[in-house]
Amino acid sequence: MSAKPPASTPQANAPSGASSARPSVVQLAIKEKAALYAAYIPLFKEGGVFFPTARDYQLGADVYVLITLPDDTQRYPVAGKVAWVTPAKASGNRTQGVGVRFPNDEKSRLLKLKIEEIIGSLLASERPTQTI
């Protein structure tokens, strides 16, 4: 078909092109604990993750994210939904991108627990993240 497009950021790679019924697939490799803290969205009951992208996403769009966590070679698949959009030129110099809410299932619950274990005490931090 067509060649794979270049990654929009060093961390996220989403296919471009016309929107279709199929969810986009994003590979998100988070290499550092601080980056995981900045990307994690604890405000979502099920958990969620933000990734920078210049691609336009609509709220509620299906997104399949393959997440790699710091010091872990396993990729965690998440079939989530876009629940946060930070547009280009957002106030406060926020990074353009989207937040994906994890589904309400056992695999996502375990992933949320694993992420919260990794970032530990940072969860109570006042440091800003990419979403709040």
Side-chain angles (χ1 to χ4, degrees):
M1 298 187 91
S2 64
K4 185 176 176 183
S8 58
T9 71
Q11 297 169 331
N13 184 17
S16 61
S19 130
S20 66
R22 289 185 306 167
S24 65
V25 177
V26 176
Q27 293 186 41
L28 184 62
I30 303 174
K31 298 182 184 349
E32 299 172 356
K33 187 171 155 178
L36 180 58
Y37 168 77
Y40 181 58
I41 308 173
L43 294 175
F44 298 150
K45 179 182 171 195
E46 303 84 5
V49 68
F50 177 89
F51 62 89
T53 182
R55 181 176 176 185
D56 288 331
Y57 284 89
Q58 299 299 314
L59 288 174
D62 292 326
V63 181
Y64 191 78
V65 185
L66 293 168
I67 303 171
T68 306
L69 300 173
D71 301 321
D72 190 346
T73 57
Q74 183 175 342
R75 291 189 332 182
Y76 298 90
V78 175
K81 293 205 178 279
V82 173
W84 181 286
V85 176
T86 303
K89 300 178 184 164
S91 65
N93 291 325
R94 295 260 180 226
T95 302
Q96 179 181 1
V98 296
V100 174
R101 179 177 40 87
F102 296 165
N104 188 9
D105 63 20
E106 185 62 14
K107 283 187 351 185
S108 295
R109 188 184 74 77
L110 294 173
L111 177 58
K112 177 182 177 175
L113 291 173
K114 182 160 188 66
I115 290 170
E116 290 180 354
E117 179 183 312
I118 292 169
I119 58 179
S121 63
L122 284 176
L123 269 176
S125 174
E126 295 291 323
R127 289 176 33 195
T129 68
Q130 292 179 316
T131 55
I132 55 170

